[in-house]
Amino acid sequence: ESIKPLVESGKFGGMLLQFPYSFKLSDENVDYLRKVRDLLGEYPLFVEFRHRSWIKAHVFELLRELGMGYCCVDEPRLRGLVPPVIAATSNVGYVRFHGRNAAKWWEGDSSERYDYLYSEEELLEWKPRIEELASWTDKTYVFFNNCHAGQAAVNAQMMLKLFGGD
């Protein structure tokens, strides 16, 4: 009921299901994904995994079967975390930038974890990936979660300029 007004007004693009690092690939967790899909009906869903064990071809096939979009992520290149993989498992692409604050990823609190300002060079790494993802989908969302001190807004503006926007 809480999202009904957004759905009815055409402003609901989907729901992000963000799973913690401890949510690793297992039969039990695959069953959980199926249950969540059943519970949430036909709403567009996007799945963000934090553990690398999920990055497998059969998982992407499962997401397609369940009608769930894969959330591509940029985060520190630390052992066990999800690498920067581009995949489309629904007709909507989804990319989420968390920052690359490797020093504070495991040690700091969440505000420190996301305290990161991307450089233009780092964002340029993603431009061809986002273009490729957009070529596979009807719509592609790009979100910045490096929101410690306003960096998300700065980086969103930088990304917009890279794509020729104001």
Side-chain angles (χ1 to χ4, degrees):
E1 289 299 310
S2 66
I3 61 172
K4 192 173 184 179
L6 292 171
V7 173
E8 290 174 350
S9 68
K11 295 180 180 177
F12 181 74
M15 189 180 303
L16 177 65
L17 308 173
Q18 179 186 339
F19 293 100
Y21 180 78
S22 60
F23 187 78
K24 298 175 183 175
L25 179 59
S26 69
D27 291 341
E28 179 182 8
N29 287 339
V30 166
D31 289 343
Y32 184 79
L33 286 179
R34 291 181 189 283
K35 287 176 191 169
V36 169
R37 171 78 273 170
D38 290 343
L39 285 171
L40 295 174
E42 294 304 312
Y43 290 120
L45 302 176
F46 304 96
V47 180
E48 179 182 342
F49 299 114
R50 291 287 177 98
H51 195 274
R52 169 180 222 112
S53 62
W54 290 95
I55 308 305
K56 307 228 183 304
H58 74 275
V59 171
F60 294 132
E61 283 305 314
L62 171 69
L63 294 177
R64 286 183 191 95
E65 170 194 320
L66 296 174
M68 297 172 137
Y70 172 71
C71 176
C72 309
V73 295
D74 185 85
E75 56 194 7
R77 306 309 194 267
L78 297 173
R79 187 172 177 232
L81 290 181
V82 173
V85 172
I86 296 297
T89 59
S90 73
N91 66 334
V92 178
Y94 200 117
V95 180
R96 198 157 184 236
F97 288 85
H98 292 295
R100 298 180 182 176
N101 192 349
K104 294 290 184 177
W105 194 261
W106 301 119
E107 301 295 321
D109 64 27
S110 63
S111 67
E112 292 176 310
R113 175 180 292 171
Y114 304 115
D115 183 5
Y116 191 82
L117 182 67
Y118 283 92
S119 68
E120 184 174 334
E121 292 76 24
E122 289 169 326
L123 296 179
L124 275 169
E125 294 171 17
W126 274 89
K127 189 173 187 283
R129 296 173 184 160
I130 293 169
E131 289 170 335
E132 184 174 13
L133 182 62
S135 75
W136 301 334
T137 58
D138 298 332
K139 180 186 290 189
T140 299
Y141 296 114
V142 177
F143 293 96
F144 286 87
N145 186 41
N146 56 327
C147 51
H148 176 75
Q151 298 104 316
V154 171
N155 283 148
Q157 290 172 337
M158 290 170 65
M159 183 65 82
L160 189 60
K161 284 182 184 177
L162 292 177
F163 279 92
D166 293 329

